Amino acid sequence: MIIDARFNGPPASANGGYAAGVIAAGERCEVTLRRPVPLGTPLARVGGTARAADGALVAEVAPIVGIDVTVPPVSYQQAVAAAAGFTGFTVPMFPTCFVCGPERADGLRIFPGRWADGTTAAPWTVPDDVTTPMVWAALDCPGGWSVIAEGRPYLLGRIAAVVHDLPTPGGRCVVRGALAETRGRKALTYSTLYGPDGAELARARATWIAVPRSDERPAGGQARTAGP
């Protein structure tokens, strides 16, 4: 498997949700990313791992039974209203991300705006070339933006997804995200994708890791661990 440069998150690595969806290969599973997933580089599934051509561990894969939390639906119009306040429009942390980057005319253009309760909502017009990894990607950023604060970016560390059905190309869907808890630099989030008729199409659970601030780095510049 090779992840094309189109599907970046941070500029030099893959969007975590998309990469996890590719690595999952259609399985109902949880993918733990052990390093930024490279773009344009061959990866191989070796048992419960994904490895680079030199054998370096990129991700670990574990089966799941299901995900027992959904984020309640809102209407498409409500999602449009929420997206107008997307923090990424004024504080561009990942402006070229395939999923939520405002500078990506060829991306998914999912802009998760906050509700008063801290959950996020975004409308999504499904592209003609939609795939299962794209659904994993669509579930990624709405969860992340439920914890991202101004000046405090988070990166995906682990994600599990259950995809019931692929959305119809051209369909107007809604993606919801919610923060469940934080512990140190780690955050647990949930996200849910709804179709034009309000039916649930997919759901995800993810663990995010805060990018350390300068005051959280010990001498030598190495980031501290995120805790248990």
Side-chain angles (χ1 to χ4, degrees):
M1 65 187 85
I2 296 177
I3 299 176
D4 188 82
R6 172 191 178 196
F7 302 111
N8 71 285
S13 60
N15 170 267
Y18 185 87
V22 171
I23 292 167
E27 298 175 18
R28 183 174 289 195
C29 63
E30 183 171 67
V31 178
T32 300
L33 303 174
R34 293 304 183 187
R35 64 181 61 202
V37 181
L39 298 165
T41 300
L43 303 173
R45 275 287 297 270
V46 182
T49 67
R51 295 182 179 273
D54 62 359
L57 178 64
V58 174
E60 295 173 328
V61 183
I64 61 168
V65 174
I67 298 169
D68 58 5
V69 175
T70 60
V71 188
V74 298
S75 71
Y76 187 84
Q77 291 73 24
Q78 288 173 312
V80 169
F86 174 52
T87 303
F89 290 145
T90 55
V91 185
M93 294 186 188
F94 303 106
T96 62
C97 173
F98 171 70
V99 179
C100 66
E103 297 179 11
R104 289 296 299 275
D106 63 337
L108 297 186
R109 301 191 66 76
I110 295 175
F111 305 130
R114 292 276 188 99
W115 289 95
D117 64 0
T119 63
T120 65
W124 180 34
T125 300
V126 181
D128 291 342
D129 60 347
V130 64
T131 61
T132 297
M134 281 189 192
V135 173
W136 282 63
L139 292 165
D140 176 348
C141 296
W145 282 99
S146 70
V147 65
I148 290 172
E150 185 170 329
R152 182 64 161 175
Y154 280 68
L155 296 174
L156 184 68
R158 177 181 295 128
I159 185 169
V162 174
V163 180
H164 306 302
D165 293 294
L166 282 182
T168 302
R172 301 204 304 176
C173 294
V174 171
V175 196
R176 296 275 280 133
L179 172 64
E181 65 178 27
T182 58
R183 180 182 297 180
R185 286 178 37 234
K186 290 185 178 181
L188 175 67
T189 69
Y190 291 92
S191 51
T192 310
L193 172 65
Y194 294 96
D197 61 355
E200 181 188 321
L201 298 176
R203 62 176 70 176
R205 175 185 68 234
T207 298
W208 295 79
I209 310 297
V211 176
R213 296 187 297 255
S214 58
D215 60 354
E216 295 173 326
R217 296 179 184 271
Q222 296 298 314
R224 296 174 183 165
T225 58

